[in-house]
Amino acid sequence: MVANPTGEGEWPAEPGRYRLVVSLACPWAHRSVIVRRLMGLEDAISLAITDPLQDDRSWRFSLDEGGVDPVLGYTHLEQAYLARDPENGTENGVSVPAIVDVPSGQLVTNDFPNVTLDLGREWTAHQRAVAPTLYPDELRDEIDEVNEGVFHDVNNGVYKAGFATRQSRYEEAYTALFARLDELDERLENQRYLVGDHITEADIRLFTTLARFDAVYQGHFKCNRQKLAEFGALWAYARDLYQTPGFGDTVDFDHIKRHYHQVQTTINPTQIVPLGPEPSVWLTPHHREELGGSPFGPEGTAPEPLERPLRPLGPIDM
Protein backbone atom coordinates (compact mmCIF):
# COMPACT_ATOMS: atom_id res chain seq x y z
CA MET A 1 0.00 0.00 0.00
CA VAL A 2 1.97 2.94 -1.31
CA ALA A 3 0.92 6.40 -2.37
CA ASN A 4 2.64 9.71 -2.91
CA PRO A 5 1.49 12.17 -0.26
CA THR A 6 3.34 15.13 -1.69
CA GLY A 7 2.83 15.31 -5.43
CA GLU A 8 0.02 16.76 -7.44
CA GLY A 9 -3.29 14.91 -7.40
CA GLU A 10 -4.95 13.04 -4.58
CA TRP A 11 -2.37 13.81 -1.92
CA PRO A 12 -0.90 17.31 -2.51
CA ALA A 13 1.63 18.86 -0.15
CA GLU A 14 -0.69 20.76 2.15
CA PRO A 15 0.41 21.98 5.60
CA GLY A 16 -1.76 20.72 8.42
CA ARG A 17 -3.36 17.97 6.37
CA TYR A 18 -1.11 15.03 7.29
CA ARG A 19 0.05 13.30 10.45
CA LEU A 20 3.33 11.42 10.57
CA VAL A 21 2.97 8.36 12.79
CA VAL A 22 6.20 6.85 14.12
CA SER A 23 7.69 4.63 16.74
CA LEU A 24 10.83 6.09 18.29
CA ALA A 25 12.09 2.52 18.57
CA CYS A 26 11.95 1.83 14.83
CA PRO A 27 15.01 2.77 12.74
CA TRP A 28 12.96 3.08 9.55
CA ALA A 29 10.57 5.53 11.24
CA HIS A 30 13.42 7.36 12.99
CA ARG A 31 14.71 8.49 9.59
CA SER A 32 11.51 10.44 8.94
CA VAL A 33 11.66 12.10 12.36
CA ILE A 34 15.20 13.33 11.61
CA VAL A 35 14.31 14.66 8.15
CA ARG A 36 11.14 16.36 9.38
CA ARG A 37 13.22 18.15 12.01
CA LEU A 38 16.11 19.06 9.68
CA MET A 39 13.65 20.46 7.13
CA GLY A 40 11.75 22.45 9.75
CA LEU A 41 8.42 20.81 8.89
CA GLU A 42 7.12 20.53 12.46
CA ASP A 43 4.36 23.07 11.86
CA ALA A 44 3.45 21.59 8.47
CA ILE A 45 3.22 17.90 9.43
CA SER A 46 2.19 16.90 12.94
CA LEU A 47 3.83 13.98 14.73
CA ALA A 48 2.23 11.02 16.52
CA ILE A 49 4.40 8.72 18.64
CA THR A 50 3.26 5.18 19.33
CA ASP A 51 3.93 3.03 22.36
CA PRO A 52 7.15 1.03 21.88
CA LEU A 53 5.28 -2.05 23.10
CA GLN A 54 2.75 -3.40 20.62
CA ASP A 55 -0.35 -5.48 21.30
CA ASP A 56 -2.14 -7.95 19.04
CA ARG A 57 -3.29 -5.01 16.88
CA SER A 58 0.30 -3.77 16.47
CA TRP A 59 1.22 -0.09 16.99
CA ARG A 60 -1.02 1.66 19.52
CA PHE A 61 -1.46 5.20 20.86
CA SER A 62 -1.44 4.23 24.53
CA LEU A 63 1.03 6.99 25.43
CA ASP A 64 -1.65 9.59 24.72
CA GLU A 65 -4.36 10.55 27.19
CA GLY A 66 -7.05 7.91 27.22
CA GLY A 67 -5.02 5.79 24.81
CA VAL A 68 -6.35 7.83 21.86
CA ASP A 69 -4.36 9.91 19.38
CA PRO A 70 -5.63 13.47 19.93
CA VAL A 71 -5.64 14.35 16.22
CA LEU A 72 -6.77 11.15 14.53
CA GLY A 73 -9.03 9.90 17.29
CA TYR A 74 -7.61 6.40 16.86
CA THR A 75 -6.43 3.92 19.47
CA HIS A 76 -4.36 1.94 16.94
CA LEU A 77 -2.59 2.77 13.71
CA GLU A 78 -4.35 -0.15 12.02
CA GLN A 79 -7.50 1.99 11.94
CA ALA A 80 -5.89 4.25 9.35
CA TYR A 81 -4.99 1.21 7.26
CA LEU A 82 -8.56 -0.08 7.43
CA ALA A 83 -9.97 3.36 6.62
CA ARG A 84 -7.97 3.20 3.40
CA ASP A 85 -8.89 -0.42 2.59
CA PRO A 86 -11.50 -2.04 4.85
CA GLU A 87 -11.09 -5.45 3.23
CA ASN A 88 -7.34 -5.91 2.99
CA GLY A 89 -5.82 -2.90 4.74
CA THR A 90 -3.79 -4.87 7.26
CA GLU A 91 -3.09 -7.92 5.09
CA ASN A 92 0.63 -7.03 4.87
CA GLY A 93 0.90 -5.85 8.46
CA VAL A 94 0.87 -2.44 10.07
CA SER A 95 4.16 -0.58 9.83
CA VAL A 96 5.74 2.76 10.67
CA PRO A 97 6.47 5.35 9.49
CA ALA A 98 3.00 6.04 8.20
CA ILE A 99 1.61 9.27 6.83
CA VAL A 100 -2.11 9.61 7.51
CA ASP A 101 -4.54 12.02 5.88
CA VAL A 102 -6.19 13.77 8.82
CA PRO A 103 -9.53 14.75 7.19
CA SER A 104 -10.29 11.21 5.99
CA GLY A 105 -8.26 9.29 8.59
CA GLN A 106 -6.80 7.17 5.77
CA LEU A 107 -3.29 5.86 5.41
CA VAL A 108 -1.54 7.75 2.63
CA THR A 109 1.79 5.93 2.54
CA ASN A 110 4.03 3.64 4.55
CA ASP A 111 6.77 3.61 1.88
CA PHE A 112 9.62 4.35 4.29
CA PRO A 113 12.42 5.02 1.74
CA ASN A 114 10.32 7.53 -0.16
CA VAL A 115 8.85 9.27 2.89
CA THR A 116 12.20 10.88 3.69
CA LEU A 117 12.95 11.67 0.05
CA ASP A 118 9.56 13.35 -0.35
CA LEU A 119 9.93 15.36 2.85
CA GLY A 120 13.24 16.66 1.52
CA ARG A 121 12.24 17.26 -2.10
CA GLU A 122 8.50 17.81 -2.39
CA TRP A 123 7.80 19.99 0.63
CA THR A 124 10.31 22.73 -0.24
CA ALA A 125 7.66 25.46 -0.19
CA HIS A 126 7.00 24.70 3.47
CA GLN A 127 10.53 24.01 4.73
CA ARG A 128 12.54 26.45 6.79
CA ALA A 129 14.45 28.91 4.60
CA VAL A 130 17.90 27.56 5.49
CA ALA A 131 17.15 23.83 5.41
CA PRO A 132 19.94 21.59 4.08
CA THR A 133 19.74 19.76 0.77
CA LEU A 134 19.79 16.07 1.67
CA TYR A 135 19.57 14.56 -1.80
CA PRO A 136 21.42 16.95 -4.14
CA ASP A 137 21.16 16.23 -7.87
CA GLU A 138 24.91 16.02 -8.41
CA LEU A 139 25.39 13.40 -5.67
CA ARG A 140 22.31 11.23 -6.20
CA ASP A 141 24.05 8.41 -8.06
CA GLU A 142 26.70 8.08 -5.36
CA ILE A 143 24.15 8.38 -2.55
CA ASP A 144 22.01 5.67 -4.16
CA GLU A 145 25.01 3.37 -4.52
CA VAL A 146 26.02 3.82 -0.88
CA ASN A 147 22.42 3.40 0.30
CA GLU A 148 22.02 0.16 -1.63
CA GLY A 149 24.93 -1.53 0.14
CA VAL A 150 24.05 -0.09 3.53
CA PHE A 151 20.43 -1.22 3.22
CA HIS A 152 21.18 -4.83 2.36
CA ASP A 153 24.15 -5.41 4.63
CA VAL A 154 23.61 -3.03 7.57
CA ASN A 155 20.06 -1.64 7.92
CA ASN A 156 18.48 -4.96 6.95
CA GLY A 157 21.56 -7.04 7.68
CA VAL A 158 21.17 -6.81 11.45
CA TYR A 159 17.62 -8.14 11.12
CA LYS A 160 18.73 -10.96 8.84
CA ALA A 161 21.26 -11.99 11.49
CA GLY A 162 18.92 -11.47 14.43
CA PHE A 163 15.98 -13.40 13.03
CA ALA A 164 17.93 -16.17 11.30
CA THR A 165 16.70 -19.65 12.15
CA ARG A 166 19.55 -21.45 10.44
CA GLN A 167 23.22 -21.18 11.37
CA SER A 168 24.29 -20.73 7.76
CA ARG A 169 21.88 -17.84 7.19
CA TYR A 170 23.02 -16.15 10.40
CA GLU A 171 26.70 -16.50 9.49
CA GLU A 172 26.06 -15.17 5.98
CA ALA A 173 24.32 -12.06 7.32
CA TYR A 174 26.90 -11.59 10.10
CA THR A 175 29.79 -11.78 7.63
CA ALA A 176 28.20 -9.33 5.19
CA LEU A 177 27.35 -6.93 8.00
CA PHE A 178 30.86 -6.64 9.37
CA ALA A 179 32.45 -6.58 5.93
CA ARG A 180 30.28 -3.56 5.13
CA LEU A 181 30.98 -1.89 8.48
CA ASP A 182 34.73 -2.37 7.90
CA GLU A 183 34.35 -0.80 4.46
CA LEU A 184 32.42 2.16 5.90
CA ASP A 185 34.97 2.57 8.68
CA GLU A 186 37.73 2.82 6.08
CA ARG A 187 35.68 5.18 3.90
CA LEU A 188 35.15 7.55 6.82
CA GLU A 189 38.77 7.74 7.91
CA ASN A 190 39.46 10.69 5.62
CA GLN A 191 36.03 12.20 4.99
CA ARG A 192 33.55 13.52 7.49
CA TYR A 193 30.38 12.31 5.78
CA LEU A 194 29.51 9.37 3.56
CA VAL A 195 28.96 11.40 0.37
CA GLY A 196 30.13 14.94 -0.22
CA ASP A 197 31.07 17.43 2.47
CA HIS A 198 27.76 17.70 4.35
CA ILE A 199 24.98 15.50 5.69
CA THR A 200 22.93 13.69 3.06
CA GLU A 201 20.23 11.04 2.94
CA ALA A 202 23.01 8.43 3.14
CA ASP A 203 24.13 9.59 6.58
CA ILE A 204 20.58 9.57 7.93
CA ARG A 205 19.96 6.01 6.74
CA LEU A 206 23.15 4.69 8.29
CA PHE A 207 22.84 6.64 11.54
CA THR A 208 19.56 5.12 12.69
CA THR A 209 21.12 1.64 12.61
CA LEU A 210 24.33 2.79 14.29
CA ALA A 211 22.35 4.47 17.07
CA ARG A 212 20.81 1.09 17.93
CA PHE A 213 23.88 -1.06 17.43
CA ASP A 214 25.42 -1.32 20.88
CA ALA A 215 22.08 -0.92 22.68
CA VAL A 216 20.35 -3.72 20.77
CA TYR A 217 21.90 -5.33 17.73
CA GLN A 218 25.29 -6.21 19.17
CA GLY A 219 23.83 -8.49 21.85
CA HIS A 220 20.15 -9.06 21.10
CA PHE A 221 20.76 -9.83 17.40
CA LYS A 222 24.10 -11.62 17.97
CA CYS A 223 26.04 -9.07 15.90
CA ASN A 224 28.88 -9.40 18.35
CA ARG A 225 32.18 -9.42 16.51
CA GLN A 226 32.70 -6.03 18.09
CA LYS A 227 30.74 -3.07 19.39
CA LEU A 228 30.27 0.13 17.43
CA ALA A 229 32.31 1.81 20.18
CA GLU A 230 35.24 -0.43 19.23
CA PHE A 231 35.44 0.94 15.68
CA GLY A 232 37.63 3.94 15.00
CA ALA A 233 36.29 6.30 12.35
CA LEU A 234 32.79 4.80 12.37
CA TRP A 235 32.29 5.39 16.09
CA ALA A 236 33.61 8.95 15.87
CA TYR A 237 31.35 9.55 12.85
CA ALA A 238 28.31 8.25 14.74
CA ARG A 239 29.07 10.55 17.69
CA ASP A 240 29.53 13.49 15.33
CA LEU A 241 26.05 12.93 13.92
CA TYR A 242 24.54 12.27 17.36
CA GLN A 243 25.84 15.64 18.54
CA THR A 244 24.35 17.38 15.49
CA PRO A 245 20.88 18.95 16.05
CA GLY A 246 18.21 16.72 14.57
CA PHE A 247 20.02 13.47 15.30
CA GLY A 248 20.79 12.84 18.96
CA ASP A 249 17.79 14.86 20.11
CA THR A 250 15.53 12.42 18.24
CA VAL A 251 17.09 9.26 19.74
CA ASP A 252 15.13 7.57 22.53
CA PHE A 253 17.17 4.72 24.02
CA ASP A 254 14.40 3.82 26.44
CA HIS A 255 11.90 3.19 23.65
CA ILE A 256 14.53 1.40 21.57
CA LYS A 257 15.56 -1.05 24.28
CA ARG A 258 12.04 -1.73 25.56
CA HIS A 259 10.68 -2.46 22.10
CA TYR A 260 13.34 -4.92 21.01
CA HIS A 261 13.76 -6.70 24.33
CA GLN A 262 10.13 -6.81 25.42
CA VAL A 263 8.35 -7.36 22.10
CA GLN A 264 10.68 -9.85 20.42
CA THR A 265 10.10 -12.63 22.92
CA THR A 266 11.29 -15.42 20.63
CA ILE A 267 14.76 -13.89 21.00
CA ASN A 268 14.42 -12.62 24.58
CA PRO A 269 11.75 -14.72 26.35
CA THR A 270 12.50 -13.20 29.78
CA GLN A 271 11.75 -9.68 28.44
CA ILE A 272 14.47 -8.28 30.70
CA VAL A 273 15.65 -4.89 29.43
CA PRO A 274 19.40 -4.17 29.75
CA LEU A 275 20.34 -1.00 31.59
CA GLY A 276 23.40 -0.17 29.46
CA PRO A 277 25.18 1.10 27.53
CA GLU A 278 25.64 4.48 29.20
CA PRO A 279 24.21 7.14 26.82
CA SER A 280 26.75 9.77 27.92
CA VAL A 281 29.45 8.10 25.79
CA TRP A 282 27.68 9.55 22.75
CA LEU A 283 28.61 13.04 23.96
CA THR A 284 32.37 12.49 24.15
CA PRO A 285 34.60 14.50 21.76
CA HIS A 286 34.85 13.12 18.23
CA HIS A 287 37.22 15.62 16.50
CA ARG A 288 35.56 14.95 13.14
CA GLU A 289 35.39 18.69 12.41
CA GLU A 290 39.13 18.45 11.67
CA LEU A 291 38.25 16.65 8.42
CA GLY A 292 36.48 19.76 7.10
CA GLY A 293 32.98 19.98 5.72
CA SER A 294 29.98 21.27 7.61
CA PRO A 295 26.84 19.44 8.72
CA PHE A 296 24.32 21.48 6.75
CA GLY A 297 26.34 22.63 3.75
CA PRO A 298 27.39 26.13 2.73
CA GLU A 299 23.89 27.62 2.92
CA GLY A 300 22.04 25.48 5.43
CA THR A 301 21.90 25.97 9.19
CA ALA A 302 20.99 23.84 12.17
CA PRO A 303 17.35 23.55 13.21
CA GLU A 304 16.30 25.41 16.32
CA PRO A 305 16.82 23.50 19.60
CA LEU A 306 13.88 21.43 20.74
CA GLU A 307 11.85 23.24 23.39
CA ARG A 308 11.06 19.89 25.02
CA PRO A 309 11.80 16.21 24.34
CA LEU A 310 9.80 14.49 21.65
CA ARG A 311 7.98 12.64 24.43
CA PRO A 312 7.94 12.80 28.24
CA LEU A 313 10.83 10.79 29.66
CA GLY A 314 9.85 7.97 31.98
CA PRO A 315 11.40 4.94 33.68
CA ILE A 316 11.74 1.53 32.08
CA ASP A 317 8.76 -0.68 32.87
CA MET A 318 10.05 -3.89 34.41
Side-chain angles (χ1 to χ4, degrees), residues 238-256:
R239 300 199 315 278
D240 186 6
L241 291 178
Y242 184 88
Q243 293 170 35
T244 300
F247 287 81
D249 54 19
T250 61
V251 173
D252 191 313
F253 287 117
D254 173 49
H255 272 215
I256 289 168

Side-chain angles (χ1 to χ4, degrees), residues 22-29 50-55 58-60 94-96 159 163 212 215-217 220-221 252-269 271-274 311 316-317:
V22 304
S23 163
L24 297 180
C26 173
W28 319 102
T50 65
D51 193 313
L53 306 184
Q54 298 154 294
D55 61 17
S58 192
W59 301 107
R60 53 185 178 162
V94 176
S95 63
V96 287
Y159 286 90
F163 288 109
R212 289 155 175 78
V216 175
Y217 304 141
H220 185 62
F221 279 176
D252 191 313
F253 287 117
D254 173 49
H255 272 215
I256 289 168
K257 290 191 293 184
R258 284 201 286 144
H259 171 72
Y260 283 92
H261 291 286
Q262 293 188 311
V263 172
Q264 296 167 0
T265 55
T266 56
I267 299 175
N268 184 37
Q271 297 182 285
I272 292 174
V273 180
R311 66 162 189 100
I316 291 178
D317 295 330

Side-chain angles (χ1 to χ4, degrees), residues 27-295:
W28 319 102
H30 188 186
R31 299 174 180 182
S32 62
V33 179
I34 293 172
V35 174
R36 172 180 174 270
R37 176 143 161 65
L38 294 181
M39 296 296 101
L41 292 170
E42 291 94 333
D43 292 336
I45 305 173
S46 64
L47 183 68
I49 297 173
T50 65
D51 193 313
L53 306 184
Q54 298 154 294
D55 61 17
D56 58 359
R57 296 173 63 187
S58 192
W59 301 107
R60 53 185 178 162
F61 297 110
S62 50
L63 300 181
D64 294 302
E65 185 176 355
V68 176
D69 180 82
V71 174
L72 299 173
Y74 289 156
T75 60
H76 290 76
L77 178 57
E78 72 162 14
Q79 292 167 270
Y81 280 65
L82 294 172
R84 170 74 174 267
D85 184 351
E87 296 293 328
N88 302 301
T90 60
E91 183 177 10
N92 295 316
V94 176
S95 63
V96 287
I99 291 182
V100 179
D101 178 50
V102 174
S104 68
Q106 294 183 17
L107 173 72
V108 174
T109 182
N110 59 2
D111 182 13
F112 67 89
N114 283 312
V115 165
T116 54
L117 293 176
D118 284 343
L119 292 179
R121 295 179 303 181
E122 306 296 338
W123 286 77
T124 53
H126 311 291
Q127 295 168 0
R128 60 191 181 93
V130 284
T133 302
L134 299 176
Y135 196 49
D137 291 342
E138 68 276 12
L139 297 177
R140 286 185 183 181
D141 288 346
E142 188 177 358
I143 291 171
D144 290 345
E145 180 181 1
V146 170
N147 285 347
E148 182 75 8
V150 167
F151 171 77
H152 288 292
D153 297 335
V154 182
N155 300 146
N156 206 32
V158 293
Y159 286 90
K160 289 188 284 187
F163 288 109
T165 56
R166 292 169 51 187
Q167 185 70 29
S168 60
R169 293 289 179 86
Y170 161 71
E171 291 182 6
E172 180 182 356
Y174 175 102
T175 300
L177 166 66
F178 282 101
R180 185 69 63 179
L181 291 177
D182 287 339
E183 176 188 297
L184 293 167
D185 191 51
E186 183 177 356
R187 181 187 185 97
L188 290 164
E189 283 183 356
N190 298 306
Q191 62 187 66
R192 189 172 181 184
Y193 303 106
L194 283 174
V195 181
D197 59 2
H198 64 84
I199 290 164
T200 66
E201 182 82 15
D203 300 295
I204 294 166
R205 295 190 182 197
L206 178 58
F207 174 77
T208 58
T209 297
L210 297 183
R212 289 155 175 78
F213 198 87
D214 286 0
V216 175
Y217 304 141
Q218 192 268 340
H220 185 62
F221 279 176
K222 306 179 185 68
C223 300
N224 60 352
R225 191 194 78 179
Q226 68 194 91
K227 298 176 181 178
L228 173 63
E230 293 169 346
F231 281 90
L234 197 60
W235 172 226
Y237 160 85
R239 300 199 315 278
D240 186 6
L241 291 178
Y242 184 88
Q243 293 170 35
T244 300
F247 287 81
D249 54 19
T250 61
V251 173
D252 191 313
F253 287 117
D254 173 49
H255 272 215
I256 289 168
K257 290 191 293 184
R258 284 201 286 144
H259 171 72
Y260 283 92
H261 291 286
Q262 293 188 311
V263 172
Q264 296 167 0
T265 55
T266 56
I267 299 175
N268 184 37
T270 65
Q271 297 182 285
I272 292 174
V273 180
L275 294 177
E278 172 54 52
S280 64
V281 299
W282 284 88
L283 299 176
T284 57
H286 53 76
H287 306 295
R288 296 284 293 177
E289 66 278 357
E290 297 172 6
L291 294 174
S294 59

